[in-house]
Amino acid sequence: MSRPLSSQPRLLLWIDRYAGVPCCWLFTWLRRLTGGLRFSENVQPVRRILFVKLAEQGSTVLAHDALAEAVRRVGRSNVYFAAFKENRFILDILAVLPRENVLTVDSTSPITLIHTGWQMLGRARGLRFDAVIDMEFFARFSALLSYLIGARERVGFHTYFGEGPYRGDLLTHRVLYNPHLHTSETFLSLVHALDVPPAAFPTFDFRAPPPLPLPSFKPEPGEVGPVREVIRSLAGPNEGPVVLLNANCSDMLPLRRWSDDNYVALARLLVASDPDLIVGFTGSPDEAPRVNQLIAAVGSPRAVSFAGRTSLRELLVLYGLAELLITNDSGPAHFAALTSIDVISLFGPETPLLFAAHGPRSHPLWANIACSPCVNAFNSRQSACRNNVCMQRLSVERVFTKAAEILVARERTPKAIPVAERASAT
């Protein structure tokens, strides 16, 4: 089975560039010819909002505060979200919006992408949104989609003097992208942009408040037992603490990968440090063969593979049963932030200053060398680098030391109280 287009970023970037640029140019001129470039000096009331963030599940977690602010303004039933079908999972977990308010596009193939995209556009136009908030950084097709939906207010990032890739002039609230704001603050700012007259931009007097606590993932009755059984079936008589490693054998951005040798060496140190500790490698079904090779290299019966053995919901249940996850900067680091697990996230081509998960259980490690970060919103997350020294500088010893520190702290203190329980207790 071929991979969905949403998991082929280079192909999507190619299509977005070579088809998106001329389309944005064409619709920009149509807008000009119809007098649509006059920017209002008034703030208009907004009653129904659509967010557009087609790809990246991890970034969707970082949009939590933006979604919560929109719900506060217009009510839960009046906030919608457009995403690729395979990315709606995290929206269902966040549960900020009603499930029926998630509009999806199936990217399984070009034909399904066009067909379901056209259907989604028709449904969105029928809902008559007052505002569309484009959370893609500089994607052309999200800007086109925002324009074609027909909302009166269209918020998103705009290139004024070459601060980012060209995406036409299709927005009413043209926000200047600030590469010094954390991504969660950036997304929140797009909602607050609705309070500013369109003619005032790029001036935007906004300062982000402290982040909200993320919702705590609550397994459904009967979900924990089967995952415990999976652990028992793999670990045998061993019932010690579980440390998870996400080696990302098929990472969409290979520069972010910590080497296989490092993961093997780390796993050996972990199993040697505690005679009861279990090391579990996670991954998708496609990654299972490569994960099995890593486990064979570790050479311990307490190194096991969860790759392909859990659904996405079961993976979150697994996080709640484990003590620590070690992963590169990717979706699992953000999913895990919704559970009680501690997370060590390894950064290199991107920076934790913009993309690290919030919260006391998030522990980003970053070498911070001169050429890092090298991928960002301005270069469509592309890099000329072919040697990720930034990841190589994160030594096994440094990661193991941090892991040992976290495990000791977790043994001495009770697990964190879930957000919902903490709120009710106060």
Side-chain angles (χ1 to χ4, degrees):
M1 180 181 295
S2 61
R3 294 189 305 161
L5 295 178
S6 61
S7 66
Q8 302 179 59
R10 291 188 180 276
L11 176 59
L12 285 180
L13 286 171
W14 189 91
I15 295 172
D16 190 66
R17 178 179 179 181
Y18 289 103
V21 168
C23 287
C24 283
W25 180 88
L26 174 63
F27 279 97
T28 293
W29 273 100
L30 289 175
R31 184 185 175 203
R32 288 174 176 170
L33 292 173
T34 57
L37 283 181
R38 294 190 292 270
F39 296 104
S40 172
E41 297 184 2
N42 300 312
V43 175
Q44 302 293 326
V46 171
R47 299 180 181 87
R48 182 172 288 176
I49 299 173
L50 172 68
F51 288 89
V52 175
K53 186 75 178 78
L54 297 174
E56 295 188 276
Q57 295 174 338
S59 291
T60 304
V61 177
L62 294 177
H64 169 263
D65 286 14
L67 296 174
E69 174 61 19
V71 167
R72 186 190 69 80
R73 290 174 176 234
V74 301
R76 187 168 181 263
S77 63
N78 291 315
V79 179
Y80 291 71
F81 200 105
F84 284 135
K85 182 178 180 180
E86 57 271 25
N87 292 333
R88 73 162 296 154
F89 151 76
I90 198 62
L91 289 162
D92 294 338
I93 295 296
L94 288 172
V96 181
L97 316 178
R99 292 176 61 92
E100 61 270 20
N101 284 20
V102 179
L103 314 182
T104 60
V105 177
D106 187 344
S107 67
T108 303
S109 69
I111 293 175
T112 59
L113 180 69
I114 294 171
H115 177 66
T116 59
W118 185 258
Q119 287 182 323
M120 190 271 284
L121 176 61
R123 184 184 173 195
R125 287 184 64 87
L127 287 167
R128 299 186 180 277
F129 291 103
D130 300 300
V132 174
I133 297 177
D134 177 8
M135 291 196 296
E136 300 290 355
F137 291 121
F138 289 102
R140 285 86 177 190
F141 274 107
S142 62
L144 283 167
L145 180 62
S146 300
Y147 178 71
L148 293 173
I149 284 170
R152 182 187 65 244
E153 315 292 334
R154 301 180 297 278
V155 184
F157 300 113
H158 180 72
T159 297
Y160 284 90
F161 297 103
E163 303 94 341
Y166 171 82
R167 65 196 314 231
D169 199 352
L170 301 173
L171 306 171
T172 59
H173 294 63
R174 306 179 303 165
V175 178
L176 184 68
Y177 176 71
N178 185 343
H180 305 288
L181 287 180
H182 190 276
T183 302
S184 62
E185 297 175 335
T186 297
F187 290 156
L188 178 61
S189 74
L190 297 178
V191 181
H192 284 270
L194 292 169
D195 299 332
V196 180
F201 289 96
T203 303
F204 185 17
D205 185 9
F206 167 74
R207 296 183 66 180
L212 298 172
L214 287 171
S216 181
F217 170 70
K218 303 285 189 182
E220 297 292 337
E223 285 187 316
V224 176
V227 177
R228 286 191 185 277
E229 284 302 316
V230 171
I231 297 174
R232 292 191 189 103
S233 69
L234 294 172
N238 304 297
E239 295 186 1
V242 178
V243 174
L244 301 174
L245 307 182
N246 176 43
N248 254 161
C249 295
S250 62
D251 190 6
M252 291 189 294
L253 185 58
L255 286 177
R256 296 189 303 194
R257 284 182 58 185
W258 207 41
S259 76
D260 290 350
D261 290 342
N262 283 345
Y263 275 108
V264 170
L266 177 62
R268 288 172 176 169
L269 285 175
L270 287 167
V271 296
S273 68
D274 183 337
D276 297 318
L277 186 143
I278 300 164
V279 173
F281 284 80
T282 62
S284 67
D286 291 342
E287 293 174 305
R290 184 60 182 146
V291 166
N292 289 334
Q293 292 179 20
L294 298 182
I295 290 171
V298 175
S300 169
R302 288 184 286 119
V304 300
S305 172
F306 293 101
R309 295 178 180 267
T310 62
S311 66
L312 287 172
R313 281 191 63 87
E314 289 171 336
L315 181 62
L316 267 68
V317 174
L318 178 62
Y319 289 159
L321 296 174
E323 302 294 326
L324 174 64
L325 168 68
I326 301 171
T327 178
N328 69 329
D329 167 38
S330 57
H334 296 282
F335 307 157
L338 305 174
T339 73
S340 60
I341 197 171
D342 276 78
V343 181
I344 295 175
S345 48
L346 310 179
F347 281 85
E350 295 178 298
T351 168
L353 300 178
L354 269 63
F355 296 106
H358 286 305
R361 297 189 300 278
S362 175
H363 312 276
L365 296 181
W366 185 36
N368 196 17
I369 65 176
C371 61
S372 171
C374 63
V375 298
N376 53 63
F378 296 139
N379 61 18
S380 299
R381 302 179 74 191
Q382 300 296 295
S383 175
C385 178
R386 297 295 179 266
N387 182 19
N388 64 344
V389 175
C390 54
M391 296 299 292
Q392 298 166 35
R393 286 288 298 273
L394 296 175
S395 68
V396 173
E397 292 74 16
R398 179 179 175 185
V399 178
F400 174 75
T401 299
K402 186 64 179 178
E405 172 190 315
I406 293 168
L407 291 172
V408 168
R410 287 180 68 96
E411 290 174 356
R412 292 179 178 173
T413 57
K415 287 190 175 182
I417 302 172
V419 171
E421 295 179 20
R422 185 166 67 237
S424 62
T426 57

